[in-house]
Amino acid sequence: MEKVASCDLGTLPSVATNPVTVPSDNACSTDPAWYTPARLLVAFCVVSFLVFLDRGIIASNGVNGDKEARTGIQGEFQLSKFQDGVLPAAFMVGLLVASLLFSELCKHYNAFRLIGWGMAIFMVSSVGCGFANSFWTLLACRIVMGAGEASIINLTGPFIDDVAPPDQKTLWFGILYLFPTVGIAGGYIFGGVIGASMGWRMPFFIQAGVCVPVVVWLFVVHPISLRTMHDGEDETHADLTAPLLVSEQAAAAAPIAVTQSLWGDICILCKQPTFLFNALGACPLQGAFGVYSYFGPQAAHELFGVGRESIDLAFGGVTIITAVVATLLGGWVLDRVGSSIKNAMLMNGWSAIVGFIAIVVAFWLPPATSTGFVWFMAVFAVGELAIFAGTAPSGAVTVWSVPTRLRPLASGIAAIASHILGDVPTPPLVGLMQGYVQDWRISMLVLTFILIAGAVLFFLGAYVRCTDYRPEEERLSLEKGHRLTATNAGNVGPLVSDMETATLIHNHGDIADTSHF
């Protein structure tokens, strides 16, 4: 599809006329004055925190409220348990469509700017949530918020994969991926305190206000570009802020071309077994955490009789501490033992097993008293520690086990799968189950068994033959100074460079280039 950019270069600078790229081995580049890898990481951590703060806000007792007490969203709109469970999952509709759209757009437009557009969509829809006058209006705003979230999910991980130091890459993934969890936990506290004192609508307005300077910054600063987004390394991005002149024939053919391109890329991803096992293995863990984060405060209140505001603070505090400790520790440990795909998958599997045991004990054994709540939170914290320890390794495997140019799509597909097969169906289903059995211990026990399925998938993924698509020099530098041999080569498969050049690993550790895939 041919596009001709038309803009006033005096007032609207185009990335196409002054391309800025993340440094790569294949091309020289000039970085903008603001850019360092650490600053980029900090910026993306802030973006992730703000986006996921919303998940905790809508789940908090201060915002979600109580139907019988006529407080919060449940009380104002008189929601059923099923409707209440649908709200946190509604963003999935927007996320599904927008993830595919952003994955295709980043082939043609600057990925950094696309993150800015995603944040702008999120900000506007947050205001819409605050003004919602019915369940259906609120539901529509939640869907649009999912569309804004898609750009952050798809693009931040590949950027960090480009700029992080090779020997600390999993730790950097851990830093990035702990902020969604910290954001959710912070949302519990923020929504619980602000919602209880100022009404359930105010947290959404404040959230949108905080997003304003971030959105402005993302559009004002000189952008960087994602590495290896095209087959031609010298191909530049168009500026998304510039008007485009597209021929009628090209415009008519665009939907077909985009659909064919997406379908071809999805077919390539489906041929990567490690990516599939990793993405599917994360679904049960995401599903379980989705229920714990949404129904956990409510279940604890009904089981132990502790005040709602106290429970919001307890869940928020425990989730923040466990997320920070476990996510960073998981990334650090994998870097230390050797950041191979096999080690990452094994770590994820054992994390799921330990998490299953701890959370079953937490919900089943403590007595229904305030003292029991203390024991519950202590054991539940151990379970969360185990589950969060696999966050960084799983995110790393997502971008290491697919061709470099497909990292944004892989990140989006993995996120979509974790929601469609994870935290989208589980809250409504657990809500239905609880409405029938009227016992949170039984409902949570049944739900927690899905962690075993996740562990099995991770263990299977650890032993299939896979391809590591990281640059060859980076992959070899992480072998702790040892050359690959026939013994360990079978666990990682052929290495693939940035240009997706396969290498044969010979029995004596020699490496030879072969033809392109």
Side-chain angles (χ1 to χ4, degrees), residues 379-431:
V379 181
F380 184 77
V382 175
E384 285 199 323
L385 277 169
I387 293 175
F388 290 144
T391 302
S394 181
V397 171
T398 297
V399 295
W400 293 344
S401 60
V402 301
T404 307
R405 68 181 180 85
L406 297 184
R407 292 176 302 170
L409 180 61
S411 299
I413 292 295
I416 291 171
S418 70
H419 294 309
I420 290 181
L421 302 177
D423 58 5
V424 167
T426 50
L429 290 175
V430 171

Side-chain angles (χ1 to χ4, degrees), residues 411-483:
S411 299
I413 292 295
I416 291 171
S418 70
H419 294 309
I420 290 181
L421 302 177
D423 58 5
V424 167
T426 50
L429 290 175
V430 171
L432 286 174
M433 185 191 309
Q434 175 61 18
Y436 177 75
V437 301
Q438 295 295 312
D439 190 331
W440 280 114
R441 293 184 191 271
I442 294 176
S443 297
M444 290 298 186
L445 179 64
V446 172
L447 177 278
T448 303
F449 269 94
I450 67 175
L451 294 178
I452 297 297
V456 171
L457 289 168
F458 283 130
F459 287 138
L460 290 174
Y463 291 100
V464 297
R465 183 175 177 83
C466 67
T467 301
D468 191 329
Y469 286 91
R470 285 175 287 180
E472 178 181 322
E473 62 275 13
E474 175 184 324
R475 179 65 181 84
L476 292 178
S477 72
L478 301 176
E479 290 296 321
K480 303 297 183 181
H482 302 292
R483 293 179 62 82

Side-chain angles (χ1 to χ4, degrees), residues 20 44 57 59 86 97 108 134-135 144 150 191 194 200-201 219 240 246 269 280 294 330 409 426 483 501:
V20 181
F44 286 165
I57 287 174
V86 166
V97 176
H108 309 285
S134 69
F135 167 74
V144 178
I194 302 298
W200 69 266
R201 298 175 185 273
F219 280 118
L240 193 58
V246 185
L269 291 181
L280 292 175
Y294 193 70
L409 180 61
T426 50
R483 293 179 62 82
T501 302

Side-chain angles (χ1 to χ4, degrees), residues 82-212:
F82 180 75
Q83 288 176 312
D84 191 31
V86 166
L87 276 179
F91 73 94
M92 184 58 224
V93 178
L95 180 64
L96 174 61
V97 176
S99 286
L100 300 177
L101 179 61
F102 278 117
S103 297
E104 186 63 24
L105 285 174
C106 70
K107 297 178 183 178
H108 309 285
Y109 302 105
N110 182 272
F112 190 86
R113 287 286 191 250
L114 290 173
I115 293 176
W117 280 103
M119 281 298 295
I121 293 170
F122 175 86
M123 177 184 66
V124 172
S125 55
S126 181
V127 174
C129 288
F131 283 117
N133 58 6
S134 69
F135 167 74
W136 296 106
T137 306
L138 183 60
L139 188 68
C141 290
R142 304 301 301 171
I143 292 173
V144 178
M145 292 188 86
E149 182 181 321
S151 68
I152 287 85
I153 290 177
N154 282 34
L155 301 174
T156 53
F159 265 117
I160 297 305
D161 188 43
D162 279 347
V163 305
D167 60 339
Q168 299 177 14
K169 187 163 287 188
T170 318
L171 177 60
W172 278 48
F173 276 119
I175 295 172
L176 176 67
Y177 291 140
L178 73 84
F179 277 88
T181 305
V182 172
I184 294 173
Y188 287 151
I189 300 173
F190 179 70
V193 174
I194 302 298
S197 60
M198 304 177 68
W200 69 266
R201 298 175 185 273
M202 186 55 65
F204 292 111
F205 293 135
I206 296 176
Q207 175 180 252
V210 175
C211 288
V212 171

